[in-house]
Amino acid sequence: MAANPHATARAAGTVSVLALLSPLAGLAVELALAWRFGASDTVDAFRIGALLLLFGQQLFVQQILPHALVPVFSEYRALGQEQQGWRVAQSLANLLVYPAALVALLFVLHPGPLIELLAPGLTGEARAVATLFLRCFLPACALMVWSGVATGVLYAYRIFWLPPAVQLAGNIVMIVLILALGRTLGPSSLILGVWLATLLGLALYLAQLAPLMRQAGARFTWSFEWKHPGVRKALGLALPLLGTLLLSQWIAVVVNRAVSVLPPGNLATFGYAWKLGQLAFLAPLSLAVVLFPRFADARVSSSEAEFRSLCTRALRMALFVTVPPTCLVYALRSPLVALLFERGAFNAEATQAVSQL
């Protein structure tokens, strides 16, 4: 399948803008947290709940399900069997949502082991609020299964703008809830924000997928065909990605476990610093999203030399757009933190700690 460079450039431009706005809105969420709650026990607890949400996003929406589904769905479309691709997508979602919901229910009823795993050093109010967050965020993580499958289907149709738009909308919801209700509702404002953002995202995905299903003549079903060759192929593609994700997330767990035993506020300041550091990854991540379906098409329909050439060009572009912002953020770290965070409940001592991190 021949790739249109102008279409790719337009898609990359649109996704880059949305991929820039969404993390900027995520940074605004951090600003709202800092202004309303500072480096407090509430933010320490939220870091643990957010770690769970991040794992759910990585597992279902960003790393595993889309990357496992796109090659399989694209192959069925290339063969003129689009309805089979939809059967695989729905079966995969239904097959995974039940165990995800079961695990969520188990830890909702017994959150103690999960707290001990993620943050054994939290005590008192921070531990109680972290337990509340985990109980409320776990069901939202289970719903991310459908979001992940929807993302994979949209990528196969070359619709890249909606997932970052959903993330942008969710971040805006969080900002509004924190600033409007954070003072009166406290931690409950964060729970309400997470759930409203999750439900809004599912509604936006459904609005985009319904016309595509009608055009393909596919029907929605709650059944799953685990013996379907497409489902088994997608699960096989997901396994090595799952291993890589578990390794990377275990590093985050180890870091949070270590920081949780430090005095209150350290988890909060570490999270603020980590979010600022993510600014350097915006451009390469948007580039990877746009190019991934091209990789899948090139692997199936192009020669080995063309596929290697595409991969090499992508790596060069990623390095080119990563190094300059990394250097810029590092050079401006202290004034950047002071400019963005130092107001409200966020004091100069927290600014210095975040800048050093």
Side-chain angles (χ1 to χ4, degrees):
M1 183 181 297
N4 186 338
H6 298 291
T8 301
R10 287 194 300 270
T14 301
V15 174
S16 294
V17 171
L18 288 171
L20 177 63
L21 292 177
S22 178
L24 287 178
L27 179 60
V29 172
E30 294 296 314
L31 298 181
L33 277 173
W35 300 347
R36 185 64 73 202
F37 299 108
S40 62
D41 288 347
T42 297
V43 182
D44 281 349
F46 183 69
R47 295 299 178 207
I48 302 306
L51 182 64
L52 195 66
L53 292 172
L54 175 62
F55 181 73
Q57 282 281 340
Q58 295 286 331
L59 179 62
F60 297 126
V61 182
Q62 296 179 354
Q63 297 293 333
I64 305 298
L65 286 183
H67 292 172
L69 183 59
V70 166
V72 178
F73 201 99
S74 297
E75 183 176 352
Y76 279 115
R77 289 193 71 202
L79 295 174
Q81 301 176 7
E82 196 167 349
Q83 291 187 13
Q84 289 295 320
W86 281 99
R87 286 177 60 186
V88 170
Q90 294 185 73
S91 294
L92 191 63
N94 296 331
L95 181 64
L96 295 178
V97 75
Y98 293 120
L102 183 61
V103 171
L105 177 62
L106 177 64
F107 284 116
V108 165
L109 297 176
H110 303 285
L114 194 56
I115 286 285
E116 287 298 321
L117 173 65
L118 299 178
L122 290 186
T123 58
E125 181 69 16
R127 188 180 184 90
V129 177
T131 301
L132 175 65
F133 283 151
L134 290 180
R135 280 178 162 156
C136 294
F137 291 170
L138 276 165
C141 291
L143 294 178
M144 291 179 186
V145 172
W146 282 302
S147 297
V149 170
T151 299
V153 172
L154 292 175
Y155 286 171
Y157 279 99
R158 302 297 192 272
I159 300 174
F160 303 106
W161 63 269
L162 186 58
V166 167
Q167 190 174 14
L168 174 61
N171 286 330
I172 292 174
V173 168
M174 289 294 297
I175 295 167
V176 172
L177 267 293
I178 292 171
L179 294 179
L181 302 177
R183 191 184 301 277
T184 55
L185 295 183
S188 298
S189 64
L190 302 175
I191 297 171
L192 182 60
V194 167
W195 270 100
L196 287 179
T198 301
L199 295 177
L200 175 61
L202 288 174
L204 292 175
Y205 280 124
L206 180 61
Q208 184 68 46
L209 288 178
L212 296 176
M213 289 187 68
R214 287 195 296 269
Q215 292 173 11
R219 296 181 178 181
F220 182 80
T221 176
W222 287 102
S223 64
F224 54 87
E225 305 173 59
W226 64 274
K227 291 186 178 181
H228 193 290
V231 175
R232 301 179 70 174
K233 183 176 181 178
L235 292 175
L237 292 172
L239 286 178
L241 296 174
L242 178 61
T244 303
L245 176 63
L246 290 176
L247 178 61
S248 64
Q249 291 302 309
W250 179 246
I251 296 172
V253 170
V254 170
V255 171
N256 278 269
R257 284 175 58 88
V259 178
S260 71
V261 302
L262 299 176
N266 278 279
L267 268 173
T269 55
F270 179 80
Y272 292 133
W274 181 260
K275 288 291 185 179
L276 283 175
Q278 298 305 298
L279 293 176
F281 295 98
L282 301 184
L285 285 178
S286 61
L287 181 66
V289 167
V290 172
L291 287 179
F292 181 69
R294 284 195 60 192
F295 290 148
D297 289 340
R299 188 63 177 173
V300 173
S301 59
S302 301
S303 66
E304 188 71 21
E306 291 178 358
F307 179 70
R308 287 198 303 267
S309 177
L310 175 62
C311 293
T312 301
R313 293 198 305 272
L315 288 173
R316 288 174 178 170
M317 285 188 287
L319 288 174
F320 179 77
V321 299
T322 302
V323 175
T326 301
C327 297
L328 181 64
V329 171
Y330 178 79
L332 299 177
R333 61 194 183 280
S334 296
L336 188 63
V337 174
L339 174 65
L340 295 176
F341 288 96
E342 197 172 317
R343 56 183 54 84
F346 201 90
N347 55 32
E349 183 180 355
T351 295
Q352 183 180 5
V354 172
S355 300
Q356 290 173 346
L357 286 173

